[in-house]
């Protein structure tokens, strides 16, 4: 599998983390861990499938993947490729009129969200592109076309910053401190803007910090403790939900994307 990474132009940096173009000559099953970013996907060649919760289904040619609780597998057949747009945490809110929480646990076709002629046109343009640079340029033009005049609430930005600064270890009650909003109102606003709950988003960052800080010398008990887990069984349960494996099994053969 070949993966090329591209960064967005300056005016899209607040909304887009990066672009990926994934190409598979031989065919591959790519294990995807839950991500703190929504992902927009464009199939360039082949028919990609997704397997999750013991269910196999065809992915839409142009789709949007929301937050997940557990890992899933993307199946790339021989000679297939896809272009992915990884939104920043606040990015998706700027491009979609719907509450971002509506995409939770789903992969939806963009034909359900935008006029079909617009989607057909970007698919046709991508098909005749001669280079990846040209493809990224087309995608950026498309993003400018669908961008809405929506601004993220500064309260949500501050909330994200607090969670990130602690790698998700902050208590929900502490998140609200210093903010002029009730915890219930903050929860609702966060789900609509970001696409998941405060707790789930915090857990995503916490588990991902465990994965990034692990090394051959790491003791799993210490790793769980430093990530804020004081109950080993709770850590093992969340870790398995996130990766599909126990910590010991996973770190024998990490499958992170």
């Amino acid at each position: 599998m070949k993966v090329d990474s591209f960064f967005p132009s300056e005016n899209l940096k607040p909304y887009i983390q990066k672009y990926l173009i994934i190409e598979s000559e031989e065919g591959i099953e790519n294990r995807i861990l839950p991500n703190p970013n929504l992902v927009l996907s464009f199939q360039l060649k082949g028919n990609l499938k997704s397997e999750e919760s013991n269910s196999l289904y065809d992915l839409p040619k142009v789709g949007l993947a929301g937050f997940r609780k557990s890992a899933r597998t993307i199946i790339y057949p021989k000679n297939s490729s896809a272009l992915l747009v990884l939104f920043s945490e606040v990015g998706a809110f700027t491009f979609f009129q719907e509450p971002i929480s509506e995409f939770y646990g789903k992969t939806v076709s963009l034909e359900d969200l935008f006029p079909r002629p617009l989607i057909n046109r970007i698919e046709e343009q991508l098909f005749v592109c001669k280079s990846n640079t040209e493809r990224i340029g087309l995608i950026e033009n498309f993003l400018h076309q669908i961008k809405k005049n929506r601004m993220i609430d500064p309260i949500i930005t501050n909330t994200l910053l607090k969670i990130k600064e602690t790698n998700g270890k902050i208590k929900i009650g502490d998140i609200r401190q210093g903010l002029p909003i009730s915890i219930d109102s903050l929860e609702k606003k966060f789900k609509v803007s970001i696409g998941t709950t405060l707790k789930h988003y915090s857990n995503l960052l916490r588990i991902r910090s465990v994965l990034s800080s692990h090394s051959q010398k790491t003791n799993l008990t210490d790793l769980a403790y430093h990530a804020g887990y004081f109950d080993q069984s709770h850590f093992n349960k969340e870790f398995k939900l996130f990766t599909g494996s126990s910590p010991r099994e996973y770190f024998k053969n990490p499958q992170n994307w």
Side-chain angles (χ1 to χ4, degrees):
M1 183 174 71
K2 181 185 176 186
V3 181
D4 290 323
S5 182
F6 303 84
F7 291 107
S9 56
E10 199 65 34
N11 55 352
L12 286 174
K13 278 185 179 178
Y15 316 107
I16 307 299
Q17 187 184 88
K18 61 182 174 181
Y19 308 104
L20 297 176
I21 293 182
I22 300 176
E23 299 174 272
S24 173
E25 290 185 0
E26 299 300 322
I28 194 169
E29 295 187 0
N30 191 19
R31 187 75 164 168
I32 306 295
L33 301 182
N35 201 299
N37 311 84
L38 271 71
V39 179
L40 185 59
S41 61
F42 298 82
Q43 294 189 42
L44 303 176
K45 288 193 299 182
N47 296 309
L48 276 62
K49 297 179 182 293
S50 176
E51 184 177 6
E52 56 183 317
S53 303
N54 298 316
S55 177
L56 181 67
Y57 59 91
D58 292 328
L59 287 170
K61 290 296 184 182
V62 182
L64 177 70
F67 279 92
R68 254 72 176 180
K69 277 190 175 182
S70 55
R72 62 180 180 142
T73 299
I74 305 299
I75 301 170
Y76 287 79
K78 287 184 178 180
N79 299 315
S80 61
S81 59
L83 190 158
L84 308 182
V85 179
L86 276 66
F87 289 106
S88 68
E89 289 88 344
V90 300
F93 181 79
T94 308
F95 295 92
F96 301 97
Q97 197 64 48
E98 296 77 8
I100 304 305
S101 54
E102 287 191 9
F103 308 127
Y104 185 86
K106 302 175 185 174
T107 299
V108 299
S109 172
L110 253 61
E111 289 185 357
D112 297 332
L113 304 174
F114 297 102
R116 184 165 293 187
L118 176 65
I119 304 305
N120 290 343
R121 187 160 61 249
I122 186 64
E123 287 185 284
E124 291 165 3
Q125 291 171 332
L126 285 169
F127 182 75
V128 298
C129 276
K130 302 266 194 277
S131 69
N132 284 344
T133 301
E134 190 179 347
R135 291 184 183 96
I136 297 302
L138 273 175
I139 293 302
E140 292 219 322
N141 287 336
F142 173 75
L143 290 170
H144 281 297
Q145 279 184 274
I146 66 171
K147 187 174 179 294
K148 306 287 188 292
N149 188 23
R150 301 178 83 192
M151 298 295 292
I152 201 80
D153 192 320
I155 288 176
I156 298 302
T157 306
N158 289 337
T159 299
L160 285 168
L161 184 60
K162 284 185 175 184
I163 298 172
K164 282 178 157 183
E165 284 177 340
T166 64
N167 284 324
K169 289 187 284 187
I170 190 170
K171 294 178 180 177
I172 301 301
D174 293 338
I175 291 174
R176 187 198 153 272
Q177 285 187 5
L179 298 176
I181 190 171
S182 70
I183 194 66
D184 286 345
S185 296
L186 179 60
E187 283 277 14
K188 290 176 184 175
K189 193 180 287 284
F190 192 87
K191 277 189 74 173
V192 167
S193 305
I194 305 303
T196 189
T197 63
L198 289 165
K199 183 178 180 181
H200 182 220
Y201 181 80
S202 298
N203 285 346
L204 280 178
L205 296 194
R206 189 155 61 148
I207 290 286
R208 283 195 165 267
S209 75
V210 168
L211 299 181
S212 62
S213 59
H214 178 266
S215 72
Q216 296 268 340
K217 300 177 182 178
T218 308
N219 177 289
L220 291 178
T221 301
D222 291 341
L223 191 67
Y225 178 79
H226 288 303
Y229 293 96
F230 301 104
D231 183 324
Q232 189 70 35
S233 63
H234 179 217
F235 167 67
N236 291 343
K237 182 179 178 181
E238 286 210 353
F239 192 96
K240 188 163 187 177
L241 176 65
F242 186 88
T243 64
S245 305
S246 70
R248 198 167 301 281
E249 290 169 341
Y250 178 87
F251 288 119
K252 281 181 183 177
N253 183 28
Q255 303 176 58
N256 200 359
W257 168 58

